[in-house]
């Protein structure tokens, strides 16, 4: 077990496993938040239902935090090891198929920006100001109001757009590579896996992006 | 043949040995026949350098038929040059244009120490092969052709993996200098056949272990290795290696002796 975790193959396997937890989470998070496009009340009720279910809430939080910590530590270890292995860099850049894709080449860079984004996102919303509202006679947190406040600022919308596009790139390489690291690559499925990875990333990033954009463009109506 | 001649400017990495610092030096290859191979073009440049009393450019080569795996360097950042499925010895000057400027660099990786100019020490790859150990076959007379049944698809895949010539282009082109494609090809070509399957798990464990010990990086699935491979070794081999390694890691049992359990 120990030698498996210490090996490059084992590290990549755990990297994929911890990434998979988040790749699955972002889809659920994006889909659930789509309720903001329908109505602030529905969105608040959805959020309230989640935080009321303590087992689901804490279970998910523990899984996400431990996966994130593992993913970041492994990323640092692997990036350091890979840089050392490469040693001297080339003077000339490769081109065409012999070059690495943009997403894979910059994984550590957009990964770091996504990490900063996750932390700032939690500070802004989860640990942000708490407003209260009543939906159907139940008193709950008015997260929708905070969302409308935050996304009335074009700067905040811009930061979310950039971060979410980078998250999309991170996912295109990640989702596809999970299959490789887990040893599930097969010539018959390879092109389909590649396409599915891109579609999945576009759906997640596109879905997320639609939310701050929608709020920003319709805030006059709600205000 | 087409019989055209072109002029090429080369920017070549020159380094006497590991201790002395290297630097790029420019050379003009004049009047190069487009029918010449890339190495023949370098031969001509070297002839001129020798006649002037200069040190010729060192580069590895042997068969010049694309089957031995000796040759290889970076041309404008691409391992074995711009073409796919080619070694530099099988790359011809007709693929270049008059006035082209080409940067030639040796394979670069921490596990490939530089010997001189464009030659590097690839014995790390030999040590990975050695760590794979033996396969179980009976000695004596050659067995009958079909005495051991092998499915056609398994034979095909094993042979595809076995075409790896160990040139090191995969390591050189990988941004992490990972030897995953090479190691996985070696694991696959023995592990897929009944003769090599018996030691399959041990082989996967040992070869991956040696690969890590040599200081090669981790696979990031960029696919640069397979695109640069003169033999088109597929990424599917890396997936198989990951699978075999994982299985072997979790099912590894200590060797026991008769009566141990009594």
């Amino acid at each position: 077990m120990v030698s498996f975790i210490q090996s490059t193959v084992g590290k990549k396997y755990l990297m994929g496993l911890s990434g998979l937890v988040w790749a699955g989470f972002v889809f659920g998070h994006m889909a659930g938040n789509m309720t903001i496009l329908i109505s602030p009340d529905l969105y608040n009720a959805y959020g309230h239902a989640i935080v009321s279910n303590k087992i689901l809430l804490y279970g998910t939080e523990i899984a996400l935090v431990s996966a994130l910590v593992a993913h970041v530590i492994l990323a640092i270890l692997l990036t350091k090891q890979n840089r050392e292995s490469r040693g001297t860099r080339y003077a000339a850049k490769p081109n065409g198929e012999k070059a690495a894709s943009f997403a894979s080449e910059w994984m550590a860079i957009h990964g770091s920006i996504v990490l900063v984004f996750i932390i700032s996102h939690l500070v802004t919303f989860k640990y942000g100001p708490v407003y209260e509202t009543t939906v159907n006679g139940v008193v709950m947190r008015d997260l929708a109001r905070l969302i409308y406040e935050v996304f009335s600022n074009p700067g905040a919308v811009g930061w979310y757009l950039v971060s979410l596009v980078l998250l999309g790139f991170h996912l295109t390489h990640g989702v596809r590579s999970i299959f490789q690291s887990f040893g599930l690559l097969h010539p018959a499925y390879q092109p389909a896996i590649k396409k599915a990875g891109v579609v999945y990333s576009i759906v997640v990033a596109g879905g997320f992006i639609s939310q701050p954009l929608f709020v920003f463009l319709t805030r006059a109506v709600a205000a | 043949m087409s019989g055209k001649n072109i002029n090429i400017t080369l920017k070549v990495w020159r380094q006497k040995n590991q201790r002395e610092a290297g630097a790029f030096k420019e050379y003009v290859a004049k009047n190069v026949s487009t029918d010449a191979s890339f190495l023949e073009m370098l031969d001509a440049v070297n002839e001129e350098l020798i006649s002037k009393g200069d040190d010729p450019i060192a580069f590895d080569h042997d068969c010049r038929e694309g089957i031995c795996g000796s040759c290889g360097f970076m041309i404008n950042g691409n391992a074995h040059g711009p073409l796919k499925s080619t070694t530099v010895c099988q790359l011809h000057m007709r693929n270049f244009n008059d006035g082209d400027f080409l940067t030639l660099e040796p394979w670069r990786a921490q596990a490939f120490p530089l010997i001189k100019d464009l030659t590097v020490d690839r014995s790390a790859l030999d040590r990975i092969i050695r760590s794979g150990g033996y396969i179980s076959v009976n000695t004596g007379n050659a067995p009958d052709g079909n005495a051991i049944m092998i499915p056609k698809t398994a034979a095909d895949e094993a042979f595809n993996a076995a075409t790896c010539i160990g040139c090191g282009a995969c390591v050189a082109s990988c941004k992490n200098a990972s030897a995953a494609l090479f190691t996985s090809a070696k694991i696959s070509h023995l592990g897929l056949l009944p003769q090599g399957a018996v030691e399959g798990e041990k082989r996967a464990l040992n070869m991956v272990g040696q690969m890590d010990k040599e200081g090669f990086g981790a696979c990031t699935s960029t696919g640069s290795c397979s695109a640069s491979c003169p033999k088109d070794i597929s990424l599917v081999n890396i997936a198989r290696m990951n699978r075999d390694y994982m299985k072997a890691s979790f099912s590894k049992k200590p060797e026991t002796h008769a009566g141990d359990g009594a």
Side-chain angles (χ1 to χ4, degrees):
Chain A
M1 258 315 275
V2 176
S3 59
F4 176 75
I5 294 167
Q6 282 172 343
S7 72
T8 48
V9 172
K11 283 201 200 91
K12 290 303 290 197
Y13 184 85
L14 293 175
M15 195 74 188
L17 195 66
S18 52
L20 185 66
V21 171
W22 276 81
F25 166 74
V26 286
F27 182 82
H29 188 39
M30 179 277 294
N33 283 5
M34 279 297 175
T35 47
I36 192 85
L37 268 59
I38 300 165
S39 88
D41 278 356
L42 182 66
Y43 176 78
N44 282 331
Y46 159 72
H48 185 69
I50 288 181
V51 294
S52 306
N53 187 340
K54 295 295 176 208
I55 298 171
L56 177 76
L57 180 70
Y58 294 136
T60 311
E61 281 181 352
I62 290 166
L64 287 175
V65 170
S66 42
L68 186 66
V69 169
H71 201 73
V72 170
I73 291 174
L74 285 166
I76 293 168
L77 290 176
L78 281 165
T79 306
K80 195 174 155 279
Q81 185 185 356
N82 290 340
R83 295 246 162 102
E84 278 166 11
S85 301
R86 163 105 321 279
T88 322
R89 293 193 157 250
Y90 291 108
K93 283 243 160 248
N95 48 32
E97 274 187 73
K98 294 191 180 184
S101 69
F102 168 81
S104 66
E105 182 93 55
W106 298 93
M107 217 50 188
I109 306 294
H110 41 67
S112 306
I113 298 172
V114 169
L115 178 65
V116 171
F117 169 74
I118 291 172
I119 295 167
S120 85
H121 176 66
L122 287 174
V123 169
T124 311
F125 291 107
K126 189 171 167 65
Y127 301 107
V130 178
Y131 303 120
E132 280 194 348
T133 183
T134 311
V135 179
N136 295 334
V138 184
V139 179
M140 58 182 69
R141 186 177 176 187
D142 192 357
L143 207 53
R145 182 172 155 200
L146 183 59
I147 285 175
Y148 272 90
E149 273 180 18
V150 171
F151 292 132
S152 61
N153 176 1
V157 176
W159 160 238
Y160 268 71
L161 291 193
V162 171
S163 305
L164 291 168
V165 167
L166 291 178
L167 173 72
F169 274 116
H170 201 73
L171 277 175
T172 52
H173 180 71
V175 170
R176 176 157 67 84
S177 301
I178 288 170
F179 289 90
Q180 176 73 326
S181 296
F182 285 9
L184 299 174
L185 199 66
H186 188 279
Y189 317 131
Q190 197 178 0
I193 288 171
K194 221 170 165 171
K195 264 184 225 145
V198 172
V199 170
Y200 189 80
S201 311
I202 292 174
V203 167
V204 169
F208 270 136
I209 286 170
S210 74
Q211 295 154 8
L213 270 185
F214 173 85
V215 170
F216 181 70
L217 298 172
T218 59
R219 72 197 188 285
V221 185
Chain B
M1 294 295 250
S2 51
K4 209 176 101 189
N5 288 338
I6 57 173
N7 296 319
I8 300 271
T9 308
L10 302 168
K11 189 175 139 193
V12 187
W13 183 259
R14 302 302 308 266
Q15 188 170 347
K16 260 211 169 83
N17 53 49
Q18 251 185 85
R19 287 179 301 281
E20 284 171 60
F24 281 108
K25 227 173 148 183
E26 277 189 31
Y27 302 93
V28 180
K30 286 188 213 101
N31 229 8
V32 181
S33 163
T34 49
D35 295 331
S37 75
F38 205 91
L39 297 189
E40 285 166 339
M41 180 274 295
L42 281 183
D43 288 338
V45 171
N46 277 344
E47 291 272 355
E48 214 182 306
L49 286 176
I50 293 166
S51 71
K52 280 195 286 187
D54 284 341
D55 196 21
I57 302 161
F59 59 90
D60 264 328
H61 63 100
D62 191 20
C63 74
R64 299 210 177 194
E65 290 177 341
I67 54 172
C68 76
S70 295
C71 69
F73 43 78
M74 307 299 272
I75 302 173
N76 283 350
N78 294 312
H80 288 302
L83 296 194
K84 280 198 74 179
S85 327
T86 310
T87 54
V88 279
C89 67
Q90 289 295 300
L91 176 66
H92 289 82
M93 297 311 292
R94 66 183 77 97
N95 296 295
F96 297 94
N97 299 314
D98 191 37
D100 271 0
F101 185 91
L102 306 175
T103 305
L104 310 189
E105 295 173 84
W107 289 165
R108 297 221 189 261
Q110 214 50 22
F112 286 170
L114 190 128
I115 298 172
K116 190 184 177 189
D117 300 337
L118 302 177
T119 57
V120 296
D121 180 358
R122 289 167 285 184
S123 44
L125 299 183
D126 298 335
R127 288 190 292 273
I128 292 177
I129 293 190
R130 198 161 55 196
S131 73
Y134 55 81
I135 59 160
S136 299
V137 285
N138 291 328
T139 54
N141 289 336
D144 284 343
N146 285 321
I148 302 169
M149 300 297 216
I150 302 170
K152 171 83 164 78
T153 48
D156 287 347
E157 273 201 71
F159 276 125
N160 285 342
T163 57
C164 166
I165 51 177
C167 65
C170 46
V171 174
S173 59
C174 175
K175 72 187 181 75
N176 305 334
S178 167
L181 195 69
F182 168 82
T183 310
S184 68
K186 300 302 168 196
I187 290 176
S188 291
H189 98 242
L190 295 173
L192 284 168
L193 299 175
Q195 296 94 330
V198 183
E199 300 83 10
E201 295 199 341
K202 202 166 136 193
R203 187 181 308 113
L205 285 175
N206 291 344
M207 287 181 109
V208 170
Q210 188 66 33
M211 170 181 89
D212 286 351
K213 211 156 77 188
E214 295 290 347
F216 293 105
C219 172
T220 317
S221 318
T222 67
S224 297
C225 53
S226 189
S228 306
C229 178
K231 300 297 161 186
D232 296 323
I233 302 293
S234 155
L235 290 180
V236 168
N237 290 300
I238 301 183
R240 185 179 298 111
M241 171 177 79
N242 292 344
R243 201 162 61 221
D244 287 356
Y245 183 74
M246 186 169 49
K247 252 190 345 219
S249 295
F250 288 103
S251 62
K252 193 167 64 178
K253 290 184 219 66
E255 284 185 25
T256 55
H257 302 281
D260 276 3

